[in-house]
Amino acid sequence: MAPVRNVVAELLDWLRELPDCVLGPGLSAAELDRAEGAVGVTIPPLWRAVLARACPVARAGSGAHYPDWRLIDEPAVRALVDAPVRGLLFDVEHNDFWWHAWGAAPEPMAERLSLARRRLAEVPRLTPLRHHWYVGPEDDSPVFSIVQADLYVPALSLADLPTGRSQRAVPTRQWPIGSVPFWSELHAYAQLGHHPELGFAQLGRGGL
């Protein structure tokens, strides 16, 4: 019988090896609950277990961005949480990005941004891990690298962060990767939407 993976320990080892990260003391359940409520995210159970053991923070002078779940700088955490939506709104305004499921794009830009903002308020809020890496509320969510409407999956799940299994491990015929509403499809569109025969071009336009 194969040994059972201690995924929390593996994730902690993975964090220790990151050159821009140091591990601080773990957080209590009350601290994690407070952070979730303050910034409106649901941290996946596996990542909560990691944070209960140790909290990753940016190494001094690295310029890295890790969420401060103790909320010493709550606006900075909120900015990380809001960054994916903020980047998409930037692409709506400046790069002709539009998600067809939102309906027809209004011509006045103010109305277009207002509609996009309302639609994006309905999608899951993602938990920031580090820099522009995010995860949905469930342990089996892919890890998404998100810069505006450009998405990549560097890990198929939190448990795959130490293994290096990325989107390349999944044939494109089996995409979208994961089932995170909107974000899994946006990833497929970002990577494959310019190939009409792969079936994702109809999801959106622009922003890439």
Side-chain angles (χ1 to χ4, degrees), residues 5-9 11 43-53 137-140 157-162:
R5 291 178 60 194
N6 186 338
V7 180
V8 171
L11 285 165
I43 302 173
L46 179 56
W47 198 245
R48 278 185 66 111
V50 170
L51 295 174
R53 293 271 301 277
E138 305 294 337
D139 286 344
D140 61 357
S157 69
L158 285 168
D160 285 305
L161 283 168

Side-chain angles (χ1 to χ4, degrees), residues 67-82:
D68 163 30
W69 295 117
R70 287 189 166 84
L71 302 184
I72 296 169
D73 187 355
E74 183 175 332
V77 180
R78 193 175 297 279
L80 276 176
V81 171
D82 292 343

Side-chain angles (χ1 to χ4, degrees), residues 82-92 95 97 146-149:
D82 292 343
V85 166
R86 191 169 61 247
L88 288 176
L89 292 173
F90 178 90
D91 274 356
V92 168
N95 294 316
F97 174 75
I146 305 176
V147 179
Q148 295 166 223

Side-chain angles (χ1 to χ4, degrees), residues 94-146:
H94 298 286
N95 294 316
D96 194 38
F97 174 75
W98 192 253
W99 198 244
H100 294 320
W102 298 341
E107 284 303 322
M109 183 55 67
E111 293 181 19
R112 186 176 304 190
L113 286 169
S114 178
L115 177 57
R117 193 174 288 110
R118 293 198 304 273
R119 294 292 182 262
L120 289 169
E122 299 168 356
V123 308
R125 285 169 71 80
L126 303 177
T127 294
L129 301 177
R130 60 189 295 265
H131 307 309
H132 43 79
W133 288 16
Y134 293 82
V135 67
E138 305 294 337
D139 286 344
D140 61 357
S141 165
V143 174
F144 299 104
S145 170
I146 305 176

